[in-house]
Amino acid sequence: MTDTDGTWSIGELAGRAGVTVKTVRYYSDRGLLPEDGRSGGGHRRYGPGALARLREIRSLRALGLGVPEVARALEDEGRLADVVAGELRGVARERAALAWREASLRLLAECDGAERAELLPLLGAAALPPDTDAVVRFWRRSLPVRLPAPLVARVLDEVVPVPPDEPTPGEVRAFALLRALVSDPRPERAPAPPLRGERYRPAVLYEGLAEAYDLAAAEVRAGREPGGAEALDCFAGAYALALGEVDSAGFRRRLVERLGREDTGVMARYWKLVAPLGPADRPALGLLHHHLTVALAAPPAA
């Protein structure tokens, strides 16, 4: 029953809202429910605004928001939009984690005993969904120290795979093995050393290689082998310009030998694992690099 001043007691408010007195007192103590004053005996009194606020609180709590987030959301409409956006991001992360957990379990269910024994510790060592920090560190060790930061960022965008939100068991396997590969501390597992030399300009090389890879990828999309004359000239020319040499038949022979020495089993393994994880319309850079190197080593057409 409403008092003559239009306010309710804590019990009346609880009854109208369908909650317990304890619940109303809890939200009141947290400063979430406005009081319209106190009775002569010092008891709390609430107006219609408190009932509307209590219903808002219950709705937000039912959507999974914690009390601190509810408090922020009720400050104003702008805060509510920010809190909701944050909760949506959290839900997306939870869904991705659940999808990775499911795919990981499916992978283990599909494995034979030997592979299961190999993969189990790898799957248990990574967060879900996995981060790519170890992969980024692997590449930062292999890139020249003089490479400008914007160019490093571009390279990392190209060579570091992004974990999908809805992975297949095969993608889970690839990421687990990839993380193990790049985290191996043995010296023989280190990235290939970059080119060296007083005249070597790494930024020139990586800018030129990006153009060569784009040309090679366009050939793949057109259904051709990625080693056409234009892409090949761009590829060899990038090395020549970066090393301060002239692109010639002799330079190309020396370049083939140099690339062969720097082609490690680690990088071959890396690109094999990454190949199915990248965009479907663009082959992995390692595959494009391999094709261009093979085309460079091929004898010239008669």
Side-chain angles (χ1 to χ4, degrees):
M1 164 179 234
T2 308
D3 203 346
T4 54
D5 64 355
T7 62
W8 302 309
S9 69
I10 191 170
E12 291 168 337
L13 176 60
R16 287 174 176 272
V19 299
T20 65
V21 169
K22 182 179 179 181
T23 297
V24 176
R25 184 175 291 113
Y26 173 75
Y27 291 134
S28 292
D29 291 342
R30 297 296 297 265
L32 298 182
L33 281 178
E35 296 180 16
D36 274 22
R38 299 273 175 152
S39 67
H43 299 293
R44 301 173 187 182
R45 305 295 299 181
Y46 300 92
L51 178 59
R53 174 58 62 88
L54 188 52
R55 287 170 174 163
E56 288 179 327
I57 293 170
R58 293 188 68 194
S59 294
L60 292 171
R61 294 285 285 143
L63 291 172
L65 275 69
V67 173
E69 287 72 30
V70 170
R72 287 184 55 229
L74 294 177
E75 289 179 10
D76 56 59
E77 285 295 325
R79 288 289 184 125
L80 175 58
D82 289 343
V83 170
V84 169
E87 289 295 312
L88 283 172
R89 289 191 293 271
V91 169
R93 288 192 295 271
E94 291 171 5
R95 289 182 60 188
L98 187 59
W100 274 85
R101 182 183 173 211
E102 179 185 8
S104 298
L105 292 171
R106 289 187 182 279
L107 173 61
L108 291 176
E110 296 168 1
C111 289
D112 59 27
E115 187 178 20
R116 189 177 300 119
E118 175 192 9
L119 290 175
L120 188 55
L122 302 182
L123 296 175
L128 298 179
D131 61 52
T132 56
D133 293 351
V135 183
V136 171
R137 288 194 296 270
F138 173 84
W139 277 101
R140 286 191 179 278
R141 293 197 304 272
S142 71
L143 293 174
V145 294
R146 292 181 291 160
L147 208 60
L151 189 51
V152 170
R154 283 170 51 193
V155 172
L156 293 178
D157 283 343
E158 286 282 357
V159 300
V160 177
V162 177
D165 289 337
E166 300 284 345
T168 64
E171 288 170 332
V172 169
R173 180 182 181 278
F175 266 97
L177 295 175
L178 183 65
R179 186 177 185 276
L181 177 70
V182 300
S183 302
D184 194 327
R186 289 176 292 177
E188 63 270 23
R189 293 293 188 175
L195 297 172
R196 292 184 176 87
E198 291 184 2
R199 294 188 296 174
Y200 173 45
R201 294 180 292 168
V204 172
L205 175 63
Y206 282 83
E207 291 282 4
L209 288 180
E211 183 179 353
Y213 296 147
D214 284 342
L215 292 170
E219 292 177 338
V220 172
R221 288 193 294 271
R224 299 190 298 271
E225 285 293 318
E230 185 179 7
L232 196 58
D233 288 346
C234 187
F235 181 70
Y239 279 100
L241 189 60
L243 293 167
E245 299 192 36
V246 176
D247 182 13
S248 63
F251 170 78
R252 293 192 178 196
R253 285 194 298 271
R254 294 192 302 275
L255 179 60
V256 169
E257 294 175 0
R258 192 168 196 168
L259 294 177
R261 290 195 302 269
E262 294 172 354
D263 186 16
T264 67
V266 176
M267 295 310 299
R269 176 69 170 159
Y270 180 93
W271 290 116
K272 183 177 180 180
L273 292 171
V274 167
L277 300 174
D281 61 342
R282 182 179 177 88
L285 292 193
L287 181 61
L288 297 174
H289 185 90
H290 171 74
H291 279 292
L292 289 169
T293 302
V294 169
L296 194 67

